[in-house]
Amino acid sequence: MTDPSEKPSHFIRDMIAADLAAGKHTAVKTRFPPEPNGYLHIGHAKSICLNFGMALEFGGACNLRYDDTNPVKEDREYVDAIAEDVRWLGFSWPGEPCYASDYFEKMYAFAVELIEKDLAYVCTLTPEEFKDYRGVPTRPGKESPHRSRPTAENLDLFARMRAGEFPDGAYVLRAKIDMASPNLHLRDPAIYRIRHAAHHRTGDTWCLYPIYDFAHCLEDAIEGITHSLCTLEFEVHRPLYDWILQNVTLPKPLPEQTEFARLNITYTVMSKRKLLTLVQENHVSGWDDPRMPTLTGMRRRGFTPAAIRTFCERVGITKFNSLTDYALLEFCVREDLNKTAERRMAVLNPLKVVIENYPEDAEETFEAVNNPEDETAGTRQVPFSRELYIERDDFMEDPPKKFFRLGPGREVRLRAACYITCTGVVKDEQGDVTELRCTWDPESRGGGTPDGRKVKGTLHWVSAKHGLKAEVRLYDRLFTEPEPDGVDGKDFRDFLNLDSLQVVTGCVEPSLAEFAPGAPVQFERIGYFTPDPDSRPDAPVFNRTATLRDGWKGK
RNA sequence: UGCCGAAUGGUGUAACGGUAGCACAACGGACUCUGACUCCGUUUGUCUAGGUUCGAAUCCUAGUUCGGCAACCA
């Protein structure tokens, strides 16, 4: 899929194609500019797929750039995790990642240029005064008394700000634009603030840091970005983005900012702040908790890069604030995993079955297909013996007509093995079923019989003697509300799903011990799983990625 | 009551003045050694009101609704 015409169009793809066709640019250059203050989530994946995707599609390049202009919030830990996540998603960037902090010296020079052009001034209003002077949307602001400070004095003060002569917050550099603008961002916005804080890369070199609006457009220009794609909340910043670029000396063409709607998915939250809260308050085990919408969490959960990329493509790119159904994400993983995951059998809620007419000490193996969707996946041998486990849900003592599974006197097929008929039910004092007595038909070895009789149900099973005990972590949506952060007067934590994690001990096919964390597997008739990093061959742990679709649902 | 932006089935998206299409979801059916997969079918839509036009989801006007913006955050 390298031909853009094969994909459904969206306005950004159309715009880039038009820009290229018009000769506005000779090559496309985009960037993905995360701030290293948290882990990447599925919302970032949309942006990553867009930015890297457009570059790939049009034969250009996309930079990974850390927008690290605020040392108090950023950390090295995040830098490494972000690069790993982008790579995992399947994208690469030219050379080393870029850092806004690499441009601090250049940015400083651009700030000096603005001062020299009388387009910036040092202001000593306190933050409270600053806010007061800015005014409100419906009323113009008023000009700072320092607005007319002479250029030489501005230059001197700005140099002394850099030299560390003043404490945090004492002075700020402001762009001189228009205090009466209906756009608040144009009312002489602050562009540099004093922060005596160690930066994760530049250390103590600086105590003066540029603010986003000033820094970001310059980062784009310095890197020769042609299309600066960001989310809708920056739409009102665009006039300032353009103003900065137009008022300093820069080669043309200048980068242009285009905004698109961020991703929202039902039953989850998508802000770094809220995700951080979940981590800090221990509602989840960490950023990589499989219930988190973070890429690291989804990876641990068993989501594949291909599934996430397909999802991002299907969600589309628009300027409309939408809420995408989690079911679409689930569909995308199932679609991918159905083709790639090997099948195995695992019983999550075991019910013992004794095959009365099967010799006590005998055992044999049956050949099972690893993946019906992929012949090259081959087959495996599955051990069978007199005592087995089946799923408790696959038996009903008094089943309704439409129940295809096991019941007294009923015959079913054991997947890849043989037919069995239930001949007796053993119960404990409470009357709960503890064991099933069955007989098998040796003629049905392999799953069919010479007389050609049909059975409606096929059950998965595990030989009691050969099966491995495994911890299985069943994950469900983290929230009970489709829009946990969209309910008036309620906090998103009010909607945490207390049953989002259920841990069971299952009995699994021996061959499952060989699976490595991240490797996808389908437990037949149950769902898609992957071993957790906690998993060990002698103590396997599986995370449920997604259930299988269930067309029966117990009706 | 300021500015910016957006409105197409339950959800997400396409159409670029010429038959409103696709996907997810839901429902029904076929197939089936996974009640999976696959296949077939059904239901549901252009925010409202005017206007331009042979013809409007698309262009114009007015309105309605929703989202964003008042960190020395990004």
PDB file of all heavy atoms in Angstrom, chain A residues 69 193 212 343 405 413 446-447 522, chain B residues 15 33-35 67 69-71 73-74:
ATOM      1  N   THR A  69      11.234  21.351  26.311  1.00  0.00           N
ATOM      2  CA  THR A  69      11.502  22.737  26.687  1.00  0.00           C
ATOM      3  C   THR A  69      11.094  23.061  28.119  1.00  0.00           C
ATOM      4  O   THR A  69      11.166  24.203  28.538  1.00  0.00           O
ATOM      5  CB  THR A  69      10.746  23.701  25.740  1.00  0.00           C
ATOM      6  OG1 THR A  69       9.345  23.408  25.810  1.00  0.00           O
ATOM      7  CG2 THR A  69      11.226  23.549  24.312  1.00  0.00           C
ATOM      8  N   ARG A 193      10.826  32.029  29.867  1.00  0.00           N
ATOM      9  CA  ARG A 193      10.670  32.190  31.299  1.00  0.00           C
ATOM     10  C   ARG A 193      11.940  31.681  31.996  1.00  0.00           C
ATOM     11  O   ARG A 193      12.682  30.866  31.450  1.00  0.00           O
ATOM     12  CB  ARG A 193       9.419  31.491  31.824  1.00  0.00           C
ATOM     13  CG  ARG A 193       9.456  29.991  32.039  1.00  0.00           C
ATOM     14  CD  ARG A 193       9.500  29.194  30.787  1.00  0.00           C
ATOM     15  NE  ARG A 193       8.714  27.953  30.896  1.00  0.00           N
ATOM     16  CZ  ARG A 193       8.680  27.003  29.974  1.00  0.00           C
ATOM     17  NH1 ARG A 193       9.389  27.119  28.858  1.00  0.00           N
ATOM     18  NH2 ARG A 193       7.963  25.935  30.123  1.00  0.00           N
ATOM     19  N   TYR A 212       6.480  26.872  24.602  1.00  0.00           N
ATOM     20  CA  TYR A 212       6.018  26.111  23.450  1.00  0.00           C
ATOM     21  C   TYR A 212       5.786  26.920  22.177  1.00  0.00           C
ATOM     22  O   TYR A 212       6.309  26.600  21.115  1.00  0.00           O
ATOM     23  CB  TYR A 212       4.731  25.341  23.800  1.00  0.00           C
ATOM     24  CG  TYR A 212       4.091  24.723  22.577  1.00  0.00           C
ATOM     25  CD1 TYR A 212       4.508  23.487  22.103  1.00  0.00           C
ATOM     26  CD2 TYR A 212       3.096  25.405  21.869  1.00  0.00           C
ATOM     27  CE1 TYR A 212       3.953  22.946  20.954  1.00  0.00           C
ATOM     28  CE2 TYR A 212       2.545  24.870  20.719  1.00  0.00           C
ATOM     29  CZ  TYR A 212       2.976  23.639  20.265  1.00  0.00           C
ATOM     30  OH  TYR A 212       2.438  23.117  19.126  1.00  0.00           O
ATOM     31  N   ARG A 343      -3.071 -21.805  17.362  1.00  0.00           N
ATOM     32  CA  ARG A 343      -4.136 -22.261  18.246  1.00  0.00           C
ATOM     33  C   ARG A 343      -3.595 -23.242  19.261  1.00  0.00           C
ATOM     34  O   ARG A 343      -2.744 -24.075  18.943  1.00  0.00           O
ATOM     35  CB  ARG A 343      -5.227 -22.952  17.426  1.00  0.00           C
ATOM     36  CG  ARG A 343      -6.306 -22.045  16.877  1.00  0.00           C
ATOM     37  CD  ARG A 343      -5.778 -20.951  16.004  1.00  0.00           C
ATOM     38  NE  ARG A 343      -6.866 -20.276  15.269  1.00  0.00           N
ATOM     39  CZ  ARG A 343      -6.706 -19.211  14.514  1.00  0.00           C
ATOM     40  NH1 ARG A 343      -5.527 -18.650  14.379  1.00  0.00           N
ATOM     41  NH2 ARG A 343      -7.743 -18.691  13.887  1.00  0.00           N
ATOM     42  N   ARG A 405     -23.504 -28.198  23.488  1.00  0.00           N
ATOM     43  CA  ARG A 405     -22.394 -28.804  24.202  1.00  0.00           C
ATOM     44  C   ARG A 405     -22.820 -30.043  24.977  1.00  0.00           C
ATOM     45  O   ARG A 405     -23.804 -30.687  24.659  1.00  0.00           O
ATOM     46  CB  ARG A 405     -21.740 -27.757  25.103  1.00  0.00           C
ATOM     47  CG  ARG A 405     -20.960 -26.721  24.304  1.00  0.00           C
ATOM     48  CD  ARG A 405     -21.541 -25.328  24.292  1.00  0.00           C
ATOM     49  NE  ARG A 405     -21.017 -24.505  25.332  1.00  0.00           N
ATOM     50  CZ  ARG A 405     -20.867 -23.176  25.272  1.00  0.00           C
ATOM     51  NH1 ARG A 405     -21.197 -22.503  24.159  1.00  0.00           N
ATOM     52  NH2 ARG A 405     -20.431 -22.519  26.296  1.00  0.00           N
ATOM     53  N   ARG A 413     -17.886 -33.699  20.270  1.00  0.00           N
ATOM     54  CA  ARG A 413     -16.535 -33.998  19.817  1.00  0.00           C
ATOM     55  C   ARG A 413     -15.536 -33.259  20.696  1.00  0.00           C
ATOM     56  O   ARG A 413     -15.775 -32.117  21.095  1.00  0.00           O
ATOM     57  CB  ARG A 413     -16.355 -33.555  18.371  1.00  0.00           C
ATOM     58  CG  ARG A 413     -14.909 -33.689  17.878  1.00  0.00           C
ATOM     59  CD  ARG A 413     -14.807 -33.522  16.385  1.00  0.00           C
ATOM     60  NE  ARG A 413     -15.747 -32.536  15.923  1.00  0.00           N
ATOM     61  CZ  ARG A 413     -16.624 -32.747  14.943  1.00  0.00           C
ATOM     62  NH1 ARG A 413     -16.674 -33.896  14.316  1.00  0.00           N
ATOM     63  NH2 ARG A 413     -17.438 -31.787  14.583  1.00  0.00           N
ATOM     64  N   GLY A 446      -9.544 -39.060  15.825  1.00  0.00           N
ATOM     65  CA  GLY A 446      -9.242 -38.102  14.758  1.00  0.00           C
ATOM     66  C   GLY A 446     -10.389 -37.126  14.519  1.00  0.00           C
ATOM     67  O   GLY A 446     -10.219 -36.103  13.870  1.00  0.00           O
ATOM     68  N   GLY A 447     -11.572 -37.438  15.081  1.00  0.00           N
ATOM     69  CA  GLY A 447     -12.621 -36.427  15.016  1.00  0.00           C
ATOM     70  C   GLY A 447     -13.803 -36.729  14.114  1.00  0.00           C
ATOM     71  O   GLY A 447     -14.685 -35.892  13.949  1.00  0.00           O
ATOM     72  N   GLN A 522      -4.009 -18.254  20.259  1.00  0.00           N
ATOM     73  CA  GLN A 522      -5.454 -18.292  20.483  1.00  0.00           C
ATOM     74  C   GLN A 522      -5.775 -19.518  21.318  1.00  0.00           C
ATOM     75  O   GLN A 522      -5.414 -20.635  20.949  1.00  0.00           O
ATOM     76  CB  GLN A 522      -6.218 -18.393  19.161  1.00  0.00           C
ATOM     77  CG  GLN A 522      -7.737 -18.393  19.385  1.00  0.00           C
ATOM     78  CD  GLN A 522      -8.534 -18.866  18.172  1.00  0.00           C
ATOM     79  OE1 GLN A 522      -9.007 -19.993  18.123  1.00  0.00           O
ATOM     80  NE2 GLN A 522      -8.683 -17.986  17.199  1.00  0.00           N
TER      81      GLN A 522
ATOM     82  P     A B  15     -13.923  12.390   0.172  1.00  0.00           P
ATOM     83  OP1   A B  15     -12.678  12.654  -0.577  1.00  0.00           O
ATOM     84  OP2   A B  15     -14.375  13.347   1.210  1.00  0.00           O
ATOM     85  O5'   A B  15     -15.106  12.215  -0.864  1.00  0.00           O
ATOM     86  C5'   A B  15     -15.017  11.262  -1.912  1.00  0.00           C
ATOM     87  C4'   A B  15     -16.347  11.206  -2.643  1.00  0.00           C
ATOM     88  O4'   A B  15     -17.389  10.849  -1.708  1.00  0.00           O
ATOM     89  C3'   A B  15     -16.722  12.550  -3.247  1.00  0.00           C
ATOM     90  O3'   A B  15     -17.167  12.464  -4.575  1.00  0.00           O
ATOM     91  C2'   A B  15     -17.856  13.057  -2.358  1.00  0.00           C
ATOM     92  O2'   A B  15     -18.885  13.713  -3.047  1.00  0.00           O
ATOM     93  C1'   A B  15     -18.430  11.770  -1.751  1.00  0.00           C
ATOM     94  N9    A B  15     -18.886  12.102  -0.388  1.00  0.00           N
ATOM     95  C8    A B  15     -18.102  12.524   0.657  1.00  0.00           C
ATOM     96  N7    A B  15     -18.775  12.841   1.734  1.00  0.00           N
ATOM     97  C5    A B  15     -20.093  12.610   1.382  1.00  0.00           C
ATOM     98  C6    A B  15     -21.293  12.773   2.091  1.00  0.00           C
ATOM     99  N6    A B  15     -21.362  13.212   3.330  1.00  0.00           N
ATOM    100  N1    A B  15     -22.446  12.465   1.457  1.00  0.00           N
ATOM    101  C2    A B  15     -22.381  12.023   0.191  1.00  0.00           C
ATOM    102  N3    A B  15     -21.303  11.825  -0.582  1.00  0.00           N
ATOM    103  C4    A B  15     -20.182  12.147   0.082  1.00  0.00           C
ATOM    104  P     C B  33     -17.223 -29.983  10.041  1.00  0.00           P
ATOM    105  OP1   C B  33     -16.713 -30.806   8.961  1.00  0.00           O
ATOM    106  OP2   C B  33     -18.668 -29.957  10.406  1.00  0.00           O
ATOM    107  O5'   C B  33     -16.378 -30.328  11.360  1.00  0.00           O
ATOM    108  C5'   C B  33     -16.935 -30.040  12.626  1.00  0.00           C
ATOM    109  C4'   C B  33     -15.825 -29.586  13.552  1.00  0.00           C
ATOM    110  O4'   C B  33     -15.113 -30.736  14.059  1.00  0.00           O
ATOM    111  C3'   C B  33     -14.785 -28.670  12.907  1.00  0.00           C
ATOM    112  O3'   C B  33     -14.394 -27.711  13.870  1.00  0.00           O
ATOM    113  C2'   C B  33     -13.599 -29.577  12.711  1.00  0.00           C
ATOM    114  O2'   C B  33     -12.360 -28.931  12.737  1.00  0.00           O
ATOM    115  C1'   C B  33     -13.733 -30.484  13.942  1.00  0.00           C
ATOM    116  N1    C B  33     -13.012 -31.741  13.891  1.00  0.00           N
ATOM    117  C2    C B  33     -12.001 -31.926  14.842  1.00  0.00           C
ATOM    118  O2    C B  33     -11.803 -31.048  15.674  1.00  0.00           O
ATOM    119  N3    C B  33     -11.291 -33.071  14.834  1.00  0.00           N
ATOM    120  C4    C B  33     -11.554 -34.006  13.913  1.00  0.00           C
ATOM    121  N4    C B  33     -10.836 -35.114  13.955  1.00  0.00           N
ATOM    122  C5    C B  33     -12.573 -33.820  12.917  1.00  0.00           C
ATOM    123  C6    C B  33     -13.271 -32.681  12.946  1.00  0.00           C
ATOM    124  P     U B  34     -14.926 -26.205  13.721  1.00  0.00           P
ATOM    125  OP1   U B  34     -16.383 -26.155  13.790  1.00  0.00           O
ATOM    126  OP2   U B  34     -14.222 -25.601  12.567  1.00  0.00           O
ATOM    127  O5'   U B  34     -14.333 -25.596  15.040  1.00  0.00           O
ATOM    128  C5'   U B  34     -14.458 -26.301  16.274  1.00  0.00           C
ATOM    129  C4'   U B  34     -14.482 -25.304  17.400  1.00  0.00           C
ATOM    130  O4'   U B  34     -13.174 -24.679  17.470  1.00  0.00           O
ATOM    131  C3'   U B  34     -15.490 -24.173  17.199  1.00  0.00           C
ATOM    132  O3'   U B  34     -15.998 -23.768  18.461  1.00  0.00           O
ATOM    133  C2'   U B  34     -14.643 -23.056  16.609  1.00  0.00           C
ATOM    134  O2'   U B  34     -15.147 -21.774  16.905  1.00  0.00           O
ATOM    135  C1'   U B  34     -13.318 -23.276  17.342  1.00  0.00           C
ATOM    136  N1    U B  34     -12.167 -22.770  16.589  1.00  0.00           N
ATOM    137  C2    U B  34     -11.372 -21.820  17.200  1.00  0.00           C
ATOM    138  O2    U B  34     -11.578 -21.422  18.335  1.00  0.00           O
ATOM    139  N3    U B  34     -10.334 -21.363  16.443  1.00  0.00           N
ATOM    140  C4    U B  34     -10.018 -21.745  15.172  1.00  0.00           C
ATOM    141  O4    U B  34      -9.049 -21.242  14.608  1.00  0.00           O
ATOM    142  C5    U B  34     -10.892 -22.730  14.597  1.00  0.00           C
ATOM    143  C6    U B  34     -11.916 -23.191  15.315  1.00  0.00           C
ATOM    144  P     G B  35     -17.551 -23.899  18.742  1.00  0.00           P
ATOM    145  OP1   G B  35     -17.579 -23.763  20.191  1.00  0.00           O
ATOM    146  OP2   G B  35     -18.139 -25.065  18.066  1.00  0.00           O
ATOM    147  O5'   G B  35     -18.208 -22.592  18.154  1.00  0.00           O
ATOM    148  C5'   G B  35     -18.690 -22.521  16.829  1.00  0.00           C
ATOM    149  C4'   G B  35     -19.814 -21.532  16.763  1.00  0.00           C
ATOM    150  O4'   G B  35     -20.913 -22.058  17.562  1.00  0.00           O
ATOM    151  C3'   G B  35     -19.466 -20.170  17.348  1.00  0.00           C
ATOM    152  O3'   G B  35     -20.251 -19.176  16.689  1.00  0.00           O
ATOM    153  C2'   G B  35     -19.959 -20.284  18.788  1.00  0.00           C
ATOM    154  O2'   G B  35     -20.357 -19.037  19.356  1.00  0.00           O
ATOM    155  C1'   G B  35     -21.203 -21.152  18.608  1.00  0.00           C
ATOM    156  N9    G B  35     -21.562 -21.927  19.784  1.00  0.00           N
ATOM    157  C8    G B  35     -20.784 -22.366  20.799  1.00  0.00           C
ATOM    158  N7    G B  35     -21.439 -23.035  21.704  1.00  0.00           N
ATOM    159  C5    G B  35     -22.742 -23.026  21.248  1.00  0.00           C
ATOM    160  C6    G B  35     -23.914 -23.587  21.798  1.00  0.00           C
ATOM    161  O6    G B  35     -24.041 -24.217  22.838  1.00  0.00           O
ATOM    162  N1    G B  35     -25.026 -23.325  21.000  1.00  0.00           N
ATOM    163  C2    G B  35     -25.002 -22.637  19.817  1.00  0.00           C
ATOM    164  N2    G B  35     -26.146 -22.488  19.201  1.00  0.00           N
ATOM    165  N3    G B  35     -23.911 -22.110  19.288  1.00  0.00           N
ATOM    166  C4    G B  35     -22.838 -22.342  20.054  1.00  0.00           C
ATOM    167  P     G B  67     -19.548  20.308  24.413  1.00  0.00           P
ATOM    168  OP1   G B  67     -19.339  19.397  25.558  1.00  0.00           O
ATOM    169  OP2   G B  67     -20.063  21.671  24.638  1.00  0.00           O
ATOM    170  O5'   G B  67     -18.181  20.436  23.607  1.00  0.00           O
ATOM    171  C5'   G B  67     -17.446  19.265  23.270  1.00  0.00           C
ATOM    172  C4'   G B  67     -16.271  19.633  22.413  1.00  0.00           C
ATOM    173  O4'   G B  67     -16.725  20.255  21.185  1.00  0.00           O
ATOM    174  C3'   G B  67     -15.333  20.670  22.996  1.00  0.00           C
ATOM    175  O3'   G B  67     -14.452  20.123  23.950  1.00  0.00           O
ATOM    176  C2'   G B  67     -14.603  21.145  21.742  1.00  0.00           C
ATOM    177  O2'   G B  67     -13.657  20.189  21.314  1.00  0.00           O
ATOM    178  C1'   G B  67     -15.752  21.184  20.738  1.00  0.00           C
ATOM    179  N9    G B  67     -16.361  22.523  20.654  1.00  0.00           N
ATOM    180  C8    G B  67     -17.567  22.933  21.159  1.00  0.00           C
ATOM    181  N7    G B  67     -17.822  24.187  20.916  1.00  0.00           N
ATOM    182  C5    G B  67     -16.712  24.632  20.201  1.00  0.00           C
ATOM    183  C6    G B  67     -16.414  25.916  19.649  1.00  0.00           C
ATOM    184  O6    G B  67     -17.091  26.942  19.687  1.00  0.00           O
ATOM    185  N1    G B  67     -15.179  25.923  19.013  1.00  0.00           N
ATOM    186  C2    G B  67     -14.331  24.848  18.913  1.00  0.00           C
ATOM    187  N2    G B  67     -13.186  25.048  18.263  1.00  0.00           N
ATOM    188  N3    G B  67     -14.603  23.649  19.400  1.00  0.00           N
ATOM    189  C4    G B  67     -15.804  23.617  20.032  1.00  0.00           C
ATOM    190  P     C B  69      -9.090  24.122  25.921  1.00  0.00           P
ATOM    191  OP1   C B  69      -7.885  23.531  26.541  1.00  0.00           O
ATOM    192  OP2   C B  69     -10.375  24.163  26.650  1.00  0.00           O
ATOM    193  O5'   C B  69      -8.746  25.600  25.453  1.00  0.00           O
ATOM    194  C5'   C B  69      -7.560  25.858  24.710  1.00  0.00           C
ATOM    195  C4'   C B  69      -7.536  27.305  24.311  1.00  0.00           C
ATOM    196  O4'   C B  69      -8.662  27.588  23.455  1.00  0.00           O
ATOM    197  C3'   C B  69      -7.702  28.294  25.450  1.00  0.00           C
ATOM    198  O3'   C B  69      -6.468  28.509  26.115  1.00  0.00           O
ATOM    199  C2'   C B  69      -8.186  29.535  24.722  1.00  0.00           C
ATOM    200  O2'   C B  69      -7.114  30.228  24.127  1.00  0.00           O
ATOM    201  C1'   C B  69      -9.072  28.931  23.625  1.00  0.00           C
ATOM    202  N1    C B  69     -10.500  28.949  23.980  1.00  0.00           N
ATOM    203  C2    C B  69     -11.235  30.104  23.672  1.00  0.00           C
ATOM    204  O2    C B  69     -10.655  31.046  23.137  1.00  0.00           O
ATOM    205  N3    C B  69     -12.549  30.170  23.987  1.00  0.00           N
ATOM    206  C4    C B  69     -13.133  29.120  24.579  1.00  0.00           C
ATOM    207  N4    C B  69     -14.428  29.227  24.869  1.00  0.00           N
ATOM    208  C5    C B  69     -12.411  27.930  24.898  1.00  0.00           C
ATOM    209  C6    C B  69     -11.106  27.885  24.582  1.00  0.00           C
ATOM    210  P     A B  70      -6.399  28.513  27.719  1.00  0.00           P
ATOM    211  OP1   A B  70      -4.984  28.277  28.069  1.00  0.00           O
ATOM    212  OP2   A B  70      -7.471  27.661  28.273  1.00  0.00           O
ATOM    213  O5'   A B  70      -6.754  30.019  28.055  1.00  0.00           O
ATOM    214  C5'   A B  70      -5.860  31.064  27.686  1.00  0.00           C
ATOM    215  C4'   A B  70      -6.174  32.303  28.478  1.00  0.00           C
ATOM    216  O4'   A B  70      -7.464  32.816  28.083  1.00  0.00           O
ATOM    217  C3'   A B  70      -6.299  32.105  29.982  1.00  0.00           C
ATOM    218  O3'   A B  70      -5.027  32.140  30.600  1.00  0.00           O
ATOM    219  C2'   A B  70      -7.150  33.300  30.381  1.00  0.00           C
ATOM    220  O2'   A B  70      -6.386  34.480  30.475  1.00  0.00           O
ATOM    221  C1'   A B  70      -8.099  33.397  29.188  1.00  0.00           C
ATOM    222  N9    A B  70      -9.370  32.705  29.411  1.00  0.00           N
ATOM    223  C8    A B  70      -9.721  31.446  28.995  1.00  0.00           C
ATOM    224  N7    A B  70     -10.935  31.084  29.341  1.00  0.00           N
ATOM    225  C5    A B  70     -11.415  32.187  30.027  1.00  0.00           C
ATOM    226  C6    A B  70     -12.641  32.433  30.645  1.00  0.00           C
ATOM    227  N6    A B  70     -13.659  31.572  30.682  1.00  0.00           N
ATOM    228  N1    A B  70     -12.803  33.643  31.249  1.00  0.00           N
ATOM    229  C2    A B  70     -11.796  34.516  31.225  1.00  0.00           C
ATOM    230  N3    A B  70     -10.585  34.391  30.668  1.00  0.00           N
ATOM    231  C4    A B  70     -10.470  33.191  30.081  1.00  0.00           C
ATOM    232  P     A B  71      -4.716  31.224  31.900  1.00  0.00           P
ATOM    233  OP1   A B  71      -5.938  30.543  32.280  1.00  0.00           O
ATOM    234  OP2   A B  71      -4.015  32.075  32.849  1.00  0.00           O
ATOM    235  O5'   A B  71      -3.793  30.053  31.384  1.00  0.00           O
ATOM    236  C5'   A B  71      -2.658  30.094  30.836  1.00  0.00           C
ATOM    237  C4'   A B  71      -1.482  30.111  31.810  1.00  0.00           C
ATOM    238  O4'   A B  71      -1.464  28.887  32.578  1.00  0.00           O
ATOM    239  C3'   A B  71      -0.176  30.215  31.073  1.00  0.00           C
ATOM    240  O3'   A B  71       0.750  30.892  31.898  1.00  0.00           O
ATOM    241  C2'   A B  71       0.235  28.758  30.975  1.00  0.00           C
ATOM    242  O2'   A B  71       1.582  28.581  30.799  1.00  0.00           O
ATOM    243  C1'   A B  71      -0.196  28.253  32.355  1.00  0.00           C
ATOM    244  N9    A B  71      -0.411  26.810  32.398  1.00  0.00           N
ATOM    245  C8    A B  71       0.367  25.890  33.046  1.00  0.00           C
ATOM    246  N7    A B  71      -0.064  24.657  32.937  1.00  0.00           N
ATOM    247  C5    A B  71      -1.201  24.793  32.173  1.00  0.00           C
ATOM    248  C6    A B  71      -2.112  23.864  31.696  1.00  0.00           C
ATOM    249  N6    A B  71      -2.028  22.560  31.949  1.00  0.00           N
ATOM    250  N1    A B  71      -3.135  24.309  30.960  1.00  0.00           N
ATOM    251  C2    A B  71      -3.216  25.613  30.716  1.00  0.00           C
ATOM    252  N3    A B  71      -2.423  26.601  31.095  1.00  0.00           N
ATOM    253  C4    A B  71      -1.431  26.116  31.827  1.00  0.00           C
ATOM    254  P     C B  73       5.312  27.821  32.361  1.00  0.00           P
ATOM    255  OP1   C B  73       5.054  27.714  33.793  1.00  0.00           O
ATOM    256  OP2   C B  73       6.502  27.149  31.789  1.00  0.00           O
ATOM    257  O5'   C B  73       4.021  27.364  31.563  1.00  0.00           O
ATOM    258  C5'   C B  73       4.149  26.791  30.297  1.00  0.00           C
ATOM    259  C4'   C B  73       4.079  25.285  30.410  1.00  0.00           C
ATOM    260  O4'   C B  73       2.779  24.914  30.905  1.00  0.00           O
ATOM    261  C3'   C B  73       4.225  24.535  29.117  1.00  0.00           C
ATOM    262  O3'   C B  73       5.586  24.387  28.795  1.00  0.00           O
ATOM    263  C2'   C B  73       3.560  23.222  29.461  1.00  0.00           C
ATOM    264  O2'   C B  73       4.430  22.420  30.232  1.00  0.00           O
ATOM    265  C1'   C B  73       2.403  23.659  30.351  1.00  0.00           C
ATOM    266  N1    C B  73       1.135  23.836  29.612  1.00  0.00           N
ATOM    267  C2    C B  73       0.362  22.690  29.335  1.00  0.00           C
ATOM    268  O2    C B  73       0.804  21.591  29.684  1.00  0.00           O
ATOM    269  N3    C B  73      -0.813  22.832  28.683  1.00  0.00           N
ATOM    270  C4    C B  73      -1.232  24.030  28.321  1.00  0.00           C
ATOM    271  N4    C B  73      -2.401  24.120  27.695  1.00  0.00           N
ATOM    272  C5    C B  73      -0.469  25.203  28.586  1.00  0.00           C
ATOM    273  C6    C B  73       0.699  25.064  29.225  1.00  0.00           C
ATOM    274  P     A B  74       6.066  24.653  27.331  1.00  0.00           P
ATOM    275  OP1   A B  74       7.532  24.618  27.377  1.00  0.00           O
ATOM    276  OP2   A B  74       5.368  25.833  26.771  1.00  0.00           O
ATOM    277  O5'   A B  74       5.544  23.375  26.531  1.00  0.00           O
ATOM    278  C5'   A B  74       5.988  22.079  26.872  1.00  0.00           C
ATOM    279  C4'   A B  74       5.042  21.077  26.251  1.00  0.00           C
ATOM    280  O4'   A B  74       3.723  21.269  26.802  1.00  0.00           O
ATOM    281  C3'   A B  74       4.850  21.234  24.754  1.00  0.00           C
ATOM    282  O3'   A B  74       5.857  20.583  24.020  1.00  0.00           O
ATOM    283  C2'   A B  74       3.469  20.623  24.548  1.00  0.00           C
ATOM    284  O2'   A B  74       3.546  19.217  24.528  1.00  0.00           O
ATOM    285  C1'   A B  74       2.739  21.059  25.801  1.00  0.00           C
ATOM    286  N9    A B  74       1.996  22.315  25.600  1.00  0.00           N
ATOM    287  C8    A B  74       2.467  23.596  25.654  1.00  0.00           C
ATOM    288  N7    A B  74       1.553  24.516  25.424  1.00  0.00           N
ATOM    289  C5    A B  74       0.404  23.778  25.191  1.00  0.00           C
ATOM    290  C6    A B  74      -0.919  24.161  24.878  1.00  0.00           C
ATOM    291  N6    A B  74      -1.315  25.429  24.749  1.00  0.00           N
ATOM    292  N1    A B  74      -1.835  23.178  24.696  1.00  0.00           N
ATOM    293  C2    A B  74      -1.436  21.907  24.828  1.00  0.00           C
ATOM    294  N3    A B  74      -0.223  21.429  25.128  1.00  0.00           N
ATOM    295  C4    A B  74       0.658  22.427  25.291  1.00  0.00           C
TER     296        A B  74
END
